[in-house]
Amino acid sequence: MTPATRSGFVALAGRPNVGKSTLVNGMVGRKVAIVSDKPQTTRRAIRGVATGPDWQLVLVDLPGVQRPRDPLTQRMQKRVVAELADCDAALLVVNGEEGVGPGDRFIASALLAGGAPVVIAVNKIDRLDRTGAVQALTAAAALAVGDDVFPVSARSGQGVDALVQHLVGLLPSGPFFFGPEDTSDQPLDVRLAELVREQVLRRTFQEVPHAVEVVVDDVDTSNPGVTAVRALVWVEAASQKSILIGSGGHMVKAIGTAARKELERELGTRVHLDLSVRLRRGWRGDDRLLDRLGIE
Ligand SMILES: Nc1nc2c(ncn2[C@@H]2O[C@H](COP(=O)(O)OP(=O)(O)OP(=O)(O)O)[C@@H](O)[C@H]2O)c(=O)[nH]1
Ligand SMILES: [Mg+2]
């Protein structure tokens, strides 16, 4: 007889930039979601998988909760609502450094209405002294969505194991949904495109990060030592295109060099990255393109 296992889905809810993706990466033990200091980094629901001897915790990283402005952000918010309706437990992530605000209260009340058990993670406690941490934890507990409030630093890893153990305890018994070696549900081309986009986000400001999408349209593994990857960086305006190319091409070169290292780490081979910047006016408002991008 096979031993009893527990397995289920925990969806992460929270305002943009509170550290949901960093926390998912920390719990999975591998980078499955890209991270940036710009809000609205995450655009898709990304399942990150952590597997123990007799449990499998599927963490659903989600876009930050925000007011939609265009078809892209409308889809992102619809996805958040759908995933939260379908999870075994919700993990509400708040930014301990900023404290609890109206946005967190709004999300907490939506989670309460959802009915699944809610756990709160107060993140970024590495930025707080003892008094600040106590204040943040007290404010989080006052959200009154559950008794379980965990102080964590997704960046340093502090408190992350305790949180994982607690979440595992909430899972229903049942078979694994993913193979024990799997860490993500995202297809290879999307994972690679996201790693390129992460390097774009690091180097761009204001409106530009929001206007960029990356599409990987060819991954050639026919040469065993070197994977050839072709990536297109979409922008919405000619001015954004010139920013991304940079004077004498130095910006696109810097993005390409940094991204190539990330792709090499991900693929475990050397990588030849062919990167080009393309004007795609209004892609954020184009339902057909958003479907093609798998943002739904
Ligand atoms: N100091 C500190 N910074 C953190 C911690 N966790 C995340 N960050 C930083 O917070 C910023 C946002 O992190 P993300 O993980 O991208 O946040 P997110 O909630 O997924 O953001 P969206 O996808 O935009 O909703 C990044 O600059 C992270 O490095 C933490 O524990 N401590
Ligand atoms: Mg994110």
Side-chain angles (χ1 to χ4, degrees):
M1 212 174 85
T2 48
T5 54
R6 329 170 66 111
S7 172
F9 292 77
V10 175
L12 279 81
R15 292 183 298 111
N17 225 25
V18 296
K20 298 177 295 298
S21 299
T22 312
L23 186 53
V24 166
N25 293 340
M27 291 193 281
V28 171
R30 187 187 160 106
K31 182 149 122 192
V32 294
I34 62 165
V35 165
S36 89
D37 60 356
K38 317 290 187 299
Q40 297 151 31
T41 298
T42 304
R43 291 176 173 160
R44 297 169 176 80
I46 300 169
R47 286 164 186 74
V49 187
T51 304
D54 56 358
W55 54 266
Q56 185 168 76
L57 176 61
V58 184
L59 298 150
V60 187
D61 186 21
L62 291 171
V65 175
Q66 54 161 1
R67 200 164 284 133
R69 299 183 309 275
D70 51 27
L72 169 64
T73 42
Q74 275 161 15
R75 283 173 180 234
M76 285 158 57
Q77 294 313 298
K78 257 178 77 180
R79 173 61 33 203
V80 170
V81 171
E83 295 290 340
L84 287 170
D86 214 26
C87 60
D88 296 298
L91 179 60
L92 170 58
V93 184
V94 303
N95 181 341
E97 191 183 15
E98 287 179 358
V100 171
D104 302 306
R105 281 189 278 277
F106 170 79
I107 300 166
S109 59
L111 292 179
L112 206 53
V118 180
V119 176
I120 302 179
V122 176
N123 190 31
K124 309 199 187 185
I125 54 152
D126 54 287
R127 302 295 271 262
L128 299 174
D129 60 15
R130 218 183 157 76
T131 316
V134 171
Q135 274 169 2
L137 291 168
T138 309
L143 288 168
V145 279
D147 299 330
D148 307 312
V149 181
F150 287 78
V152 297
S153 168
R155 184 174 278 180
S156 78
Q158 193 187 341
V160 172
D161 285 346
L163 175 60
V164 168
Q165 288 316 311
H166 181 79
L167 294 175
V168 167
L170 298 176
L171 299 177
S173 45
F176 290 179
F177 293 94
F178 291 86
E181 303 302 320
D182 290 338
T183 51
S184 159
D185 70 334
Q186 297 293 291
L188 181 66
D189 61 328
V190 173
R191 287 197 330 256
L192 300 182
E194 286 285 273
L195 290 170
V196 176
R197 189 165 65 90
E198 186 175 48
Q199 296 306 321
V200 174
L201 295 180
R202 284 195 174 194
R203 292 168 178 77
T204 52
F205 304 92
Q206 295 171 340
E207 190 46 28
V208 182
H210 304 289
V212 168
E213 178 63 343
V214 178
V215 179
V216 163
D217 68 352
D218 192 38
V219 180
D220 179 357
T221 54
S222 58
N223 183 342
V226 187
T227 311
V229 177
R230 196 170 67 164
L232 308 175
V233 180
W234 289 359
V235 292
E236 288 198 317
S239 56
Q240 295 160 355
K241 185 170 174 179
S242 42
I243 289 171
L244 281 182
I245 292 171
S247 66
H250 87 272
M251 178 68 122
V252 70
K253 219 174 280 170
I255 292 167
T257 305
R260 181 170 49 75
K261 290 191 186 126
E262 286 290 304
L263 301 191
E264 289 181 338
R265 187 189 48 74
E266 179 72 19
L267 293 166
T269 65
R270 282 175 51 221
V271 167
H272 177 268
L273 174 61
D274 172 1
L275 195 62
S276 45
V277 184
R278 296 281 170 83
L279 193 54
R280 272 279 184 173
R281 286 188 205 281
W283 68 262
R284 280 183 284 181
D286 186 329
D287 281 309
R288 202 179 43 86
L289 285 180
L290 292 169
D291 282 343
R292 226 180 78 196
L293 293 169
I295 300 178
E296 46 200 11

